[in-house]
Amino acid sequence: MDDLQFRRAIYADPNNQDADTIAAQQQDPSKKQFAKEICQLDERIRQALHVPVPDDLCNKLILRQTLASHQVHKRRTRVHLALAASVAIVGGLMLNFMQFSSAYSNLGDYALAHVYHEQGSITNNASNQVTLASLNKKMAAFDGNFSQSLGKLLFADYCRFDGMKSLHLVYQGRTSPVTVFVVPKNDQLSFTNSFNDKQFFGSSIEFNNSNIIVVADKNESLGQWQQNISETVSWSI
Amino acid sequence: MMTKQVRYEALVKALHGDLYRYAYWLTHEKQVAEDLVQETFLRAWRALDSLKDEKAAKSWLITILRRENARRFERKRFDMSEYEEATITDTKSVTTEQELENHWLRDKISQLPPEYSEPLVLQVLGGFSGEDIATMLDLNKNTVMTRLFRARNQLKEALEAEPVKRGIYNG
């Protein structure tokens, strides 16, 4: 390693630990002396640059960060609160929507579900009978009237048909009760002319302000029921 | 949360001194240097998760500080030459002989062209290797080594040329 190269290396980095420069220093005392001088210079530079650091700087830095992150934290809790509120509102709306909107899209589905729900609570051979007069009293709420009885009426009362006040009639059928619903017209459930499943079938008759739905097991003659209803029911305006 | 806090405090304790000295060298003013360090650490706190390698913490902080310092100049433009900046530094606190010499040497370093003095300060104060400095200043390593060589060379010449003048300060 020649002198110029050595000087460059030492000037660039006095603490140079390259094998070459160390070897060169050991071989040549003047090089060693030069390296030492530059190291001393470096030490002086270090001292010159080593200005005293303010005592409280460290604490200030930590304090400032603590305050800053506290503010961020506060802001974040506010955001969380807002989020929670939004979720609560959305949840409330969903609940509202689910509770007050129908799970069934048409009359038939709902009527079947209703019949299944009531199944067993009224037996076909129950002894109680509702008179035509009391039936017509109830029908008055729908501005309707039956001129004669359709059969043995086991049960007649108002009920909620998908949230609407309607009349629930149960007649004695051939093998199982026949259910007749008098339901005011509404837009939520679409009108279905006839419907069926494995056990029951049913049909709807559309009148001016109301629908009458008959649901019976498959031993009944739906057409007969439909005809009887059409013939006996009359509506006042 | 807590571990981040612990990490941060450790970082502050270990490195605030070096950072302050570097900032002081950049700004020549105690208060500005302090503000700069505070700003740097605040930014560091926000970005602490991006610091993966603790060994790189110092150069990471120095890089933030340099950027922060550059922003300071964007905000308010000082029209001062290097020489003026050097001379407005404190002469008040200079008391001992050692202090005088330090002050004189600081002046000399400040009077070096900044492209020479900056690598020198990073090397001496920050203890960074040639490669580290090259990455920080976005230069290649040979350039950095040449500049270090010139910086020391000029300082040495200045020291040898002015032993008498330094006596004036002493008196």
Side-chain angles (χ1 to χ4, degrees), chain A residues 34-47:
Chain A
F34 172 77
K36 210 173 144 192
E37 273 173 33
I38 299 299
C39 273
Q40 278 167 0
L41 171 70
D42 239 41
E43 192 46 49
R44 287 170 69 180
I45 297 171
R46 185 172 293 115
Q47 275 182 17

Side-chain angles (χ1 to χ4, degrees), chain A residues 133-187:
Chain A
S134 70
L135 167 62
N136 278 333
K137 222 180 197 175
K138 292 192 165 81
M139 272 301 277
F142 299 93
D143 299 330
N145 190 64
F146 283 104
S147 59
Q148 54 177 304
S149 185
L150 297 168
K152 188 187 178 195
L153 184 57
L154 302 173
F155 170 88
D157 213 340
Y158 298 116
C159 71
R160 296 258 143 215
F161 190 93
D162 195 31
M164 293 173 295
K165 188 187 176 187
S166 59
L167 196 57
H168 187 161
L169 311 175
V170 182
Y171 287 95
Q172 191 173 46
R174 279 179 200 160
T175 50
S176 68
V178 175
T179 309
V180 176
F181 296 106
V182 182
V183 185
K185 275 193 180 165
N186 107 319
D187 302 330

Side-chain angles (χ1 to χ4, degrees), chain B residues 21-134:
Chain B
R21 289 188 192 104
Y22 185 73
Y24 183 80
W25 175 77
L26 282 174
T27 61
H28 305 283
E29 261 185 83
K30 282 179 185 167
Q31 197 49 54
V32 183
E34 229 182 286
D35 290 349
L36 201 56
V37 174
Q38 292 211 354
E39 220 34 63
T40 304
F41 271 104
L42 212 58
R43 261 175 208 280
W45 162 260
R46 286 188 208 122
L48 198 59
D49 291 332
S50 71
L51 177 67
K52 298 287 177 237
D53 185 5
E54 302 290 336
K55 276 178 243 157
K58 197 167 174 181
S59 64
W60 181 67
L61 284 169
I62 293 261
T63 310
I64 299 176
L65 192 136
R66 282 166 54 81
R67 219 181 296 137
E68 212 44 53
N69 188 45
R71 279 209 191 91
R72 190 168 64 93
F73 280 95
E74 276 167 26
R75 282 200 292 268
K76 39 181 176 178
R77 298 183 183 279
F78 293 116
D79 260 336
M80 286 191 285
S81 75
E82 286 300 312
Y83 186 77
E84 278 168 334
E85 260 192 69
T87 48
I88 53 168
T89 56
D90 59 337
T91 39
K92 324 150 214 170
S93 63
V94 201
T95 44
T96 64
E97 201 169 320
Q98 183 64 48
E99 274 295 308
L100 280 170
E101 191 190 301
N102 287 346
H103 187 235
W104 178 86
L105 195 56
R106 271 207 296 278
D107 267 5
K108 287 289 161 226
I109 298 169
S110 294
Q111 283 166 36
L112 289 174
E115 63 266 32
Y116 293 172
S117 58
E118 189 142 40
L120 182 69
V121 171
L122 285 172
Q123 191 186 44
V124 177
L125 201 57
F128 292 114
S129 71
E131 281 95 347
D132 291 339
I133 299 169

